[in-house]
Amino acid sequence: MANRIVLNTISYHGAGAIQEIPGELTRRGYKKVFVCTDPDLVKFGVAAKVTDLLDEAGIAYSVYSDIKPNPTIQNVTDGVEAFKAAEADSIVTIGGGSAMDTAKAIGVIITNPEFADVRSLEGVAPTKNHAVFTIAVPTTAGTAAEVTINYVITDVEKVRKFVCVDTNDAPEVAVVDPEMMATMPAGLTASTGMDALTHAIEGYTTKGAWEMSDMFHLKAIELISKNLRDAVAEAKSGVPGSGREGMALAQYIAGMGFSNVGLGVDHSMAHTLSAHFDTPHGVACAMLLPIAMEFNKPVVIERLAKVAVAMGVDTTGMSTDEAADAAIAAVKQLSVDVNIPTVCEAITEDELDTLTKDAMADACFPGNPREATYDDVMGMFRQIMK
């Protein structure tokens, strides 16, 4: 079987990378940009770092920022209408996964109007045309939505999240500028960083993992382990440093891998928690990560031993079993060090059945390396109950 890798056409990395945005638009002849971002980034002037460049270059644009932290079907449909009203011909999306996922869905629907019903994009939709030309500018170091072929939308009516996988949604250009992440508070730095670590570890242990994705994931695990604590400390102090820059690169590299091989039970359960309780996605992933690793350990023990090494654990003299346990312990310690909670207080006994069924129906669930039963999944949810 052939293995497929889908990435951006072009990506820029490093401080000041946003300076490349106007040129990427003008070289292609685009005249009106649809800026898709979130309200806080407009309020605090982060989006303006990019729109000021568009102003200087004389590039017209319209801003759409009616996007919730877990973007909804309504956010997408409103965005499609806003794009049409703006008579835009391209998209620049600025934000975390919320803004970028919304932009992906808008871009796909504009060029594939037969999928105007957002729910029809769930799973692997047979779209024919690539999305509207998009430049993606992340402001968090976690989701890697700027490089992935996935996006996640919340169905408020059905109280669920659904995953869409489509090579036509990948942004042509990614601009990963750590200076765009400078205003991230410590809590968001921690949770998005742990989301990136979950991407890397789940991607490394998923059924679809292979040599090229392994290369991305192990490097991402190494970089996150080295930089996340520093990035959180920098966010608390307000003094920029190498941690933020290291996390900007690490989360992108993780995205290069997991986008092409899938995830597993951790993400399927995390999506469910966010849909039901609006739990921040990275927090949900982090709470569940050591639990999912422990569950999968019997079938990925050698890989978990390599995760320990990538996380900086000295495994000299350890058995494979001990090294795998050391990887789980290292993940727990990192979560503690960056103040991630270990329980979800919103879960009640009455909700466990629905949570379990929704998690097992999630698109990430089949990628898990070990088959998980209803009782297995419910048991994992129980471990994060108060």
Side-chain angles (χ1 to χ4, degrees), residues 84-141:
K84 293 175 181 177
E87 298 182 336
D89 56 13
S90 53
I91 295 173
V92 172
T93 179
I94 307 161
S98 303
M100 290 190 283
D101 282 4
T102 304
K104 287 179 175 182
I106 293 168
V108 167
I109 292 172
I110 290 294
T111 58
N112 299 272
E114 66 273 25
F115 289 92
D117 178 357
V118 182
R119 291 188 183 98
S120 69
L121 292 166
E122 182 173 3
V124 184
T127 60
K128 296 180 177 64
N129 304 307
H130 200 278
V132 173
F133 174 81
T134 299
I135 298 176
V137 186
T139 59
T140 64

Side-chain angles (χ1 to χ4, degrees), residues 189-272:
T189 299
S191 64
T192 55
M194 290 302 295
D195 183 22
L197 182 64
T198 307
H199 289 156
I201 292 177
E202 276 206 296
Y204 182 60
T205 55
T206 192
K207 288 177 181 176
W210 63 292
E211 288 87 348
M212 189 176 287
S213 64
D214 289 352
M215 173 181 67
F216 297 140
H217 291 136
L218 287 172
K219 189 62 179 179
I221 292 166
E222 175 191 332
L223 288 172
I224 293 164
S225 301
K226 287 180 178 178
N227 289 288
L228 181 55
R229 292 177 180 87
D230 288 344
V232 172
E234 291 162 16
K236 289 178 179 177
S237 69
V239 179
S242 60
R244 180 79 74 199
E245 188 164 353
M247 284 303 301
L249 180 59
Q251 62 89 33
Y252 183 87
I253 294 172
M256 294 170 75
F258 87 84
S259 173
N260 289 288
V261 297
L263 294 165
V265 70
D266 182 308
H267 262 76
S268 68
M269 294 173 69
H271 288 154
T272 303

Side-chain angles (χ1 to χ4, degrees), residues 290-310:
I291 296 168
M293 292 169 71
E294 187 69 51
F295 175 76
N296 287 324
K297 180 185 165 185
V299 298
V300 293
I301 188 168
E302 292 85 2
R303 284 183 171 256
L304 290 182
K306 292 179 181 178
V307 168
V309 175

